Amino acid sequence: MEPKTDRMTLIGVVLIAAIFLLWSFYNRPAPKPSVPQQASVATAPAPLTSRPAPLRLDSALVQRYSVAARVIQIETPLYRAALSTQGARFTQWKLRQFSEDDGGVVDLIRAGDAPNLQFSSLTSTGDTLSSSGLVWRTASPDQIVLAGDDSSRLSLQATLADGSTLSLTYVFYADKYSFHFHADGFGATGRSSGKGRLVWRNGLRYSEPDVSSENSHADALALVASKLVTLDVKNEVAGVADTLASPPLWIGTRTKYFASVIQALPGQATGAILTGRQRGTDVPQPDSTVRAESYDLTYLTAAPDHVDALVYLGPLDHDILRSYDLGFERMTNLGWEWVIRPIAEYVILPSFKFLHRFIDNYGIVIIVFSIILKLLLYPLSRSSFRSMKKMQTVQPKLKALQEKYKDDQTRLQQETMQLYREAGVNPIGGCLPQVAQMPLLYALYSVFANTIELRGAPFFGWITDLSRPDSVLHLPFKLPLYGDHVSLLALLMGGTMLVQQKFMTPATGTSQQPAFLMYFFPIFLLLIFNSLPSGLNLYYFVFNLLSIAQQWWINRST
C-alpha cells in the first residue's frame, strides 16, 4: 500500500497557494477608492462635479481687447513645453530623456484643444470667469531657452470690459520638472461669490503602447493629513468623483511612469475634488476596445481672485519626487504602505541605484543583486533545508503512528507531537523561511513593474526592456492567465523550479508529496510570470540557479 500524503505538506501547499491568491487579489484594482476619515466623500459622475460651470459671462466680464493667439515655446534640458495664449493652455510637455516606441519623446499633454491648467472664479450672478475662456497677451518672446540653473518668468494679462485686469504668471526652471503658477485679479467687478478653483483637466497622455497596463496603474491621488486618498475609474463608464472636505497637501494624477502633481501654497485651499472618466487614447493599443482613463484635479481655493501653486509634470522618479520634501514620492506605486513599500523604498531601490553607479547595465545589476541576496538569505535557506531533512527522516515513524492510532486521533496527535519533540523537528520549519521571503517577492515585483529606472533598460539579445515581458513568440490568440506571447525567461524560471522540486530536494526514500504537486507550482508560476516584467523573471531565474547550486552543495555535504 502506498504511503499516505503527509498532512503538513498539504497544509504548506494550501498556505503557499493562499499567498499567491492574496498576491493576485492585492494587485487587482480595488473595488472602491480608499478615503481617510478626515475627508468627506461624495460620489457623482465626473463631468458634473469636476469642471467649472459653462462659460457664461455678463457684459462686465467680456474681454475688452481682441488679441491674436500665440504659442510660447519653453526649452530646458529636461523638457520642451508649448503654452498657447488661447486659454493659457499647454499644447505640449515633451520630456527629453524619455522616448516612446515610435522613436519620439514622451509628451504628457493630450492632443486637441482642451484646456489643462486653469483658474476660475464663480461670481455672485452665477457667471464663471475662467482663464481657459480668454485670449491672453504677453510681451514674452516666442521662445524661452533655459540652461544650468536659469529660471524665467512668463507673464500673461487679459483686460475685461469694465477695465479690470487679470494676470497669470509662470516661473520655469532649467533644472526642474516643476514650475510655479500664480493667478490674480479673478474677483472681477467686486461681485465674486467667494469660490475659486484651480484645475488640471484631461489627465495625462499615455506613453506606453499597452493601454490595459497603463489603466492598471492610472489613478488620481491626494495627500490628506499624511494619508493617501486614491481614486480609480475601473469600469465606471459614467465616471467617479471624490470631494475632499479637508484641504490636501497636494493632489495628483499618474500613469504607469509619469505624473502631474499640484500643490497649492499653505492656507490657499479649502478642499479638493478628484474626478475620473474613461475616454479615447492618444497612443496605439493592441485592443481597440480598451479605453484610457483620464483624471481631473481640482483645488477649491480660499480666495476667489488669486492662487499660488507648485505644479510638477514629469517622471515618477522616486529621488526626484522626494527632493521636493512634500511627500510627492508617495505618488510612486511601491506596494502596500506598511509592509511592502518600506522594503522596496529603503532596501531594494537604494541597493539597485548603488550598484548602478558601478554597473551600467541594469540586467547585470539584477544578477549581482541576486547573488548578494542569495548570500544574505543563505542562513534561512539552510535552516529550511535542515528542517525538511529532519521531517523526512521521521516519516517512517510518523506513518507507523498513523497506522497504529488511526482510530484514535487524540492519541495520534499526542504521540506525533512527542515524536517531533524527541527528534527536534518543527513541522512548519521548512515553510516559514520561504513565507518570510514573500514580502521581498512583492517588493521586487513593485520595483520591477513600476520603477522608471528600468523603463526601456535593455539587457542583451531579445531582452530589450527589463520593465516589460520578454517575448520570443507572439501567439495568434490569447490564453487566460498566460497571455498572447511566450516569455523565454519565464520558461527558464519554471524549468529551474521543476529541477529544484524533482532532483534537488533531500531524499530519504519516502514520498512526501503527490507527484502532481511537483509539477503544479512550476506550471502555475509559469502562467503567472509569463506576463510579468522580464527583470523580475531574470532575477528569479538567476536566484533559482543559485538555489540549485546551493542545494547540491548542502546535499553533498550532508
Side-chain angles (χ1 to χ4, degrees), residues 448-469:
F448 289 126
N450 301 292
T451 302
I452 197 166
E453 284 82 0
L454 294 183
R455 182 183 184 271
F459 180 30
F460 80 96
W462 79 100
I463 308 174
T464 58
D465 189 342
L466 290 167
S467 69
R468 300 184 187 179

Side-chain angles (χ1 to χ4, degrees), residues 493-519:
M493 188 274 299
T496 54
M497 286 196 66
L498 183 61
V499 170
Q500 282 183 279
Q501 294 251 8
K502 188 173 180 62
F503 300 109
M504 302 307 299
T505 54
T508 62
T510 304
S511 176
Q512 194 179 4
Q513 63 179 7
F516 82 92
L517 290 179
M518 187 176 298
Y519 301 99

Side-chain angles (χ1 to χ4, degrees), residues 167-316:
S167 67
L168 300 177
T169 303
Y170 304 79
V171 182
F172 300 101
Y173 306 92
D175 56 351
K176 297 180 184 296
Y177 288 103
S178 59
F179 61 90
H180 281 91
F181 174 78
H182 174 74
D184 198 10
F186 281 74
T189 70
R191 295 181 299 168
S192 171
S193 68
K195 297 179 179 179
R197 292 189 175 197
L198 176 62
V199 183
W200 176 267
R201 286 183 59 187
N202 299 308
L204 297 171
R205 179 181 178 272
Y206 281 7
S207 60
E208 311 305 303
D210 188 345
V211 177
S212 296
S213 176
E214 285 273 58
N215 277 346
S216 67
H217 292 81
D219 46 30
L221 304 102
L223 189 63
V224 184
S226 77
K227 294 184 179 179
L228 205 61
V229 180
T230 303
L231 176 76
D232 199 335
V233 170
K234 309 193 186 0
N235 298 320
E236 299 291 337
V237 177
V240 292
D242 281 1
T243 300
L244 310 178
S246 299
L249 178 62
W250 52 256
I251 52 179
T253 181
R254 65 186 176 190
T255 57
K256 187 173 184 179
Y257 293 113
F258 303 97
S260 169
V261 192
I262 304 176
Q263 190 240 355
L265 296 190
Q268 298 204 18
T270 60
I273 303 174
L274 308 178
T275 59
R277 64 192 183 278
Q278 295 179 341
R279 55 170 293 165
T281 181
D282 304 306
V283 295
Q285 52 182 307
D287 184 354
S288 60
T289 64
V290 178
R291 295 178 61 83
E293 297 176 4
S294 178
Y295 295 90
D296 295 349
L297 314 171
T298 302
Y299 257 125
L300 307 177
T301 63
D305 60 337
H306 70 274
V307 72
D308 294 275
L310 174 70
V311 181
Y312 176 90
L313 283 170
L316 281 169

Side-chain angles (χ1 to χ4, degrees), residues 49-377:
T49 59
S50 64
R51 306 175 184 179
L55 191 64
R56 181 175 61 83
L57 304 180
D58 63 21
S59 58
L61 301 182
V62 174
Q63 194 165 6
R64 172 181 285 187
Y65 303 109
S66 175
V67 182
R70 298 171 53 197
V71 175
I72 311 299
Q73 304 283 341
I74 302 98
E75 300 268 352
T76 80
L78 300 177
Y79 61 84
R80 294 194 302 269
L83 179 71
S84 172
T85 60
Q86 175 70 56
R89 60 184 177 84
F90 287 101
T91 58
Q92 73 174 32
W93 191 280
K94 295 185 175 181
L95 306 181
R96 292 177 176 272
Q97 300 177 11
F98 301 95
S99 61
E100 295 187 354
D101 284 6
D102 61 3
V105 296
V106 169
D107 189 352
L108 299 183
I109 304 300
R110 292 186 183 273
D113 297 327
N116 28 65
L117 184 65
Q118 58 183 288
F119 183 73
S120 65
S121 178
L122 185 65
T123 71
S124 57
T125 60
D127 300 309
T128 299
L129 179 60
S130 174
S131 61
S132 64
L134 301 170
V135 181
W136 298 81
R137 65 182 186 274
T138 179
S140 169
D142 289 342
Q143 188 174 44
I144 300 172
V145 180
L146 303 176
D149 58 356
D150 292 346
S151 64
S152 179
R153 180 181 298 269
L154 171 62
S155 298
L156 307 176
Q157 294 82 34
T159 304
L160 302 181
D162 67 350
S164 59
T165 299
L166 289 67
S167 67
L168 300 177
T169 303
Y170 304 79
V171 182
F172 300 101
Y173 306 92
D175 56 351
K176 297 180 184 296
Y177 288 103
S178 59
F179 61 90
H180 281 91
F181 174 78
H182 174 74
D184 198 10
F186 281 74
T189 70
R191 295 181 299 168
S192 171
S193 68
K195 297 179 179 179
R197 292 189 175 197
L198 176 62
V199 183
W200 176 267
R201 286 183 59 187
N202 299 308
L204 297 171
R205 179 181 178 272
Y206 281 7
S207 60
E208 311 305 303
D210 188 345
V211 177
S212 296
S213 176
E214 285 273 58
N215 277 346
S216 67
H217 292 81
D219 46 30
L221 304 102
L223 189 63
V224 184
S226 77
K227 294 184 179 179
L228 205 61
V229 180
T230 303
L231 176 76
D232 199 335
V233 170
K234 309 193 186 0
N235 298 320
E236 299 291 337
V237 177
V240 292
D242 281 1
T243 300
L244 310 178
S246 299
L249 178 62
W250 52 256
I251 52 179
T253 181
R254 65 186 176 190
T255 57
K256 187 173 184 179
Y257 293 113
F258 303 97
S260 169
V261 192
I262 304 176
Q263 190 240 355
L265 296 190
Q268 298 204 18
T270 60
I273 303 174
L274 308 178
T275 59
R277 64 192 183 278
Q278 295 179 341
R279 55 170 293 165
T281 181
D282 304 306
V283 295
Q285 52 182 307
D287 184 354
S288 60
T289 64
V290 178
R291 295 178 61 83
E293 297 176 4
S294 178
Y295 295 90
D296 295 349
L297 314 171
T298 302
Y299 257 125
L300 307 177
T301 63
D305 60 337
H306 70 274
V307 72
D308 294 275
L310 174 70
V311 181
Y312 176 90
L313 283 170
L316 281 169
D317 185 296
H318 186 269
D319 289 346
I320 293 175
L321 293 171
R322 188 167 57 182
S323 68
Y324 287 88
D325 197 24
L326 293 168
F328 285 178
E329 69 273 11
R330 301 278 292 275
M331 290 286 292
T332 56
N333 185 6
L334 293 178
W336 189 28
E337 290 279 319
W338 299 108
V339 177
I340 308 305
R341 185 182 182 91
I343 298 175
E345 187 172 9
Y346 299 113
V347 178
I348 298 176
L349 266 179
S351 300
F352 267 39
K353 292 183 177 183
F354 175 79
L355 291 172
H356 193 247
R357 290 168 56 186
F358 309 99
I359 306 171
D360 287 336
N361 190 305
Y362 263 112
I364 299 176
V365 169
I366 291 173
I367 292 174
V368 173
F369 181 80
S370 302
I371 296 172
I372 294 174
L373 192 60
K374 192 62 185 175
L375 292 174
L376 293 175
L377 294 176

